[in-house]
Amino acid sequence: MSSSRRGLFRAAAEAAARAAAADQAAREPAPPPDPEPLLGDQEVERYSRQLVMEGWGEAEQVALRDASVLVIGAGALGSPVASYLAGAGVGRLGIVDDDLVELSNLHRQFLHFTPDLGQPKAHTAVAKLQFLNPEIAVEPYQVRLDEANADGLVAGHDLVVDCSDGFATRYAVNAACCRAGVALVEGGVVGLTGLVMSIEPGDSACYRCAFPEPPPPGAVPTCAQAGVLGPAAGVIGSLQALEALKLLAGMPGAVTDAFLQVDLARGEVLTVRTARRADCPDCGGLR
Ligand SMILES: [Zn+2]
């Protein structure tokens, strides 16, 4: 056979093989399309350093994006809490604070800058948080949380982080979160000591289970009386933000049925176990 005839035969055979393959492909069901990515390109880039972490992935990131968190207080604890939650991608943040920015706030309340003096903290905080992450919604509530408005403020949120600085507010927040079944991260700092506690109402001890009665007025000094260093508030607020992320993402290890007692003068963190009390007026009736 001449080389030109052989070439013709080879071409014909290859064409037949291609036709057969195309016929086979047409009869086979098409492979399912790739699932829609849960996160957009910008989200993958913005959150890349947490997405690569062991124990954190798309599901955890989407849980944050779908979450609504209320931060009570935009001060020394609220600054790190709100910054870390906004940065991490919590989809909706509410910031509750009725104070105006004062010069004595600035050494520790880093969401407020010197040009913000005299402005409402809720609004100056929200402006910074939107600069930090324009992909999320942040809403200011320029009110003081009290027993009368606590239920309305807590409603509709998945989690509350209490960054207030008074016991009346703390007990009102705890009671409202128990009534609504909303998870709560408590925190407090004065001087170089602080406390952090996570609460899942009905499942773990609430703040009133651990501390049944508020201290008598004046028994615990305020930051105005005893002072506080900015980094000490930063440590406690950061621990609160971490607790919030664990609870929102369903990660293990949140500090429930216990509180952290942090002594930053000595560099010690003590985990103090606590438990639900059947006679707790806030959570005793919850199952
Ligand atoms: Zn309780």
Side-chain angles (χ1 to χ4, degrees):
M1 195 182 290
S2 72
S3 62
S4 63
R5 290 284 303 269
R6 277 200 300 274
L8 279 174
F9 278 123
R10 193 181 306 123
E14 287 169 359
R18 279 198 299 274
D23 188 47
Q24 178 75 17
R27 270 184 277 160
E28 285 177 2
D34 290 337
E36 278 288 304
L38 295 172
L39 299 171
D41 292 345
Q42 286 283 315
E43 290 172 296
V44 170
E45 176 73 18
R46 181 180 283 272
Y47 308 120
S48 57
R49 296 305 186 273
Q50 56 200 48
L51 285 168
V52 298
M53 200 185 73
E54 191 175 344
W56 194 276
E58 271 198 330
E60 286 74 17
Q61 196 62 52
V62 169
L64 282 201
R65 187 176 64 190
D66 292 343
S68 180
V69 174
L70 189 70
V71 179
I72 298 165
L77 298 175
S79 289
V81 165
S83 298
Y84 278 128
L85 297 187
V90 171
R92 195 161 72 87
L93 277 179
I95 309 295
V96 180
D97 203 308
D98 71 330
D99 282 340
L100 306 179
V101 179
E102 298 176 13
L103 192 56
S104 62
N105 300 150
L106 302 185
H107 81 123
R108 67 193 187 284
Q109 302 184 14
F110 59 76
L111 276 176
H112 315 295
F113 302 161
T114 302
D116 298 324
L117 289 174
Q119 299 299 310
K121 283 186 188 177
H123 291 276
T124 64
V126 166
K128 311 304 191 315
L129 296 166
Q130 291 280 216
F131 273 131
L132 173 60
N133 192 348
E135 307 296 328
I136 64 168
V138 194
E139 295 159 45
Y141 299 98
Q142 194 186 342
V143 293
R144 173 163 288 269
L145 185 144
D146 57 27
E147 286 184 3
N149 64 14
D151 288 338
L153 286 165
V154 166
H157 293 91
D158 301 301
L159 184 139
V160 171
V161 189
D162 185 11
C163 302
S164 65
D165 56 2
F167 285 96
T169 307
R170 200 164 290 154
Y171 280 86
V173 170
N174 183 72
C177 286
C178 287
R179 281 193 292 271
V182 170
L184 167 65
V185 181
E186 267 298 340
V189 65
V190 65
L192 291 173
T193 61
L195 176 146
V196 177
M197 178 178 183
S198 287
I199 294 143
E200 294 186 288
D203 288 329
S204 72
C206 79
Y207 185 77
R208 194 181 277 273
C209 288
F211 304 97
E213 295 295 333
V220 177
T222 66
C223 283
Q225 294 162 333
V228 62
L229 286 183
V235 168
I236 301 302
S238 298
L239 286 170
Q240 285 183 279
L242 186 61
E243 288 295 302
L245 293 182
K246 285 180 182 174
L247 291 173
L248 291 169
M251 293 175 76
V255 182
T256 52
D257 284 327
F259 57 87
L260 298 181
Q261 195 168 289
V262 183
D263 181 344
L264 294 164
R266 302 161 66 94
E268 291 176 354
V269 179
L270 196 63
T271 302
V272 181
R273 307 305 308 181
T274 184
R276 291 190 69 190
R277 298 161 59 101
D279 62 349
C280 174
D282 288 351
C283 79
L286 301 176
R287 288 172 187 272

